[in-house]
Amino acid sequence: PRFVLFPDDLKVSKSMRPYFNQQKYRVTYDTAFSAVIKACSAIPRDGQVSTWITKEMIEAYERLHQLGHAHSVEVWSGNELVGGLYGIDLGTVFCGESMFSKISNTSKLAFIYLVQKLKKENYKLIDCQVYNPHLESLGADEISREEFLKYLK
């Protein structure tokens, strides 16, 4: 199974609404790709000793970003990068690769902004890859491999 979010299925909880109303954070796209991927590789994660985001992977994704295939969403508190995510854009499918938060809920905020943007651009789905309770709370669900492959075509 593949864990995905269809843009129409996005759920924004009541607890997240103040983040939009207060405009405490500024959200940007593709302004700090390298900083986002490096933060994703450095952020401590429960149950993980190391990261798959090696120096070589960072260089490969930075090249994909330069070619227009990889994109980032950044969340700022003042001039400090406090959350974000990055992934690969396939035209109507966005494949999320990793996300990070230095302040609670800032990765969720980045994800919500991304989904809202992709919905306006008629994307079919966001690939979240494997089950994650964090993304399930935002509306992501599993689909079969066969169904997922149809979207990739």
Side-chain angles (χ1 to χ4, degrees), residues 29-129:
Y29 301 92
D30 289 328
T31 62
F33 184 88
S34 292
V36 168
I37 192 170
K38 288 172 183 168
C40 287
S41 73
I43 205 86
R45 298 179 194 273
D46 291 338
Q48 289 183 335
V49 183
S50 62
T51 180
W52 64 273
I53 309 171
T54 63
K55 180 180 179 243
E56 293 80 13
M57 291 300 288
I58 291 171
E59 290 171 0
Y61 278 100
E62 286 175 336
R63 182 70 180 128
L64 287 169
H65 176 66
Q66 291 166 357
L67 294 170
H69 303 296
H71 299 281
S72 61
V73 181
E74 306 90 18
V75 179
W76 305 90
S77 178
N79 291 324
E80 182 185 0
L81 181 64
V82 295
L85 62 86
Y86 74 96
I88 302 295
D89 188 339
L90 300 177
T92 60
V93 173
F94 186 87
C95 300
E97 295 296 329
S98 190
M99 52 190 353
F100 80 98
S101 281
K102 291 182 181 175
I103 297 175
S104 184
N105 290 320
T106 54
S107 64
K108 275 187 183 178
L109 187 64
F111 186 76
I112 291 166
Y113 268 88
L114 173 68
V115 174
Q116 291 173 337
K117 179 181 187 295
L118 296 179
K119 182 177 178 177
K120 288 177 189 170
E121 296 173 6
N122 296 314
Y123 275 64
K124 294 177 182 171
L125 65 82
I126 294 93
D127 175 22
C128 304
Q129 299 182 24

Side-chain angles (χ1 to χ4, degrees), residues 13-32:
S13 68
K14 289 180 184 176
S15 65
M16 284 301 296
R17 292 191 184 129
Y19 288 87
F20 295 94
N21 298 336
Q22 296 169 3
Q23 297 182 340
K24 184 176 179 180
Y25 301 104
R26 180 172 51 95
V27 177
T28 58
Y29 301 92
D30 289 328
T31 62

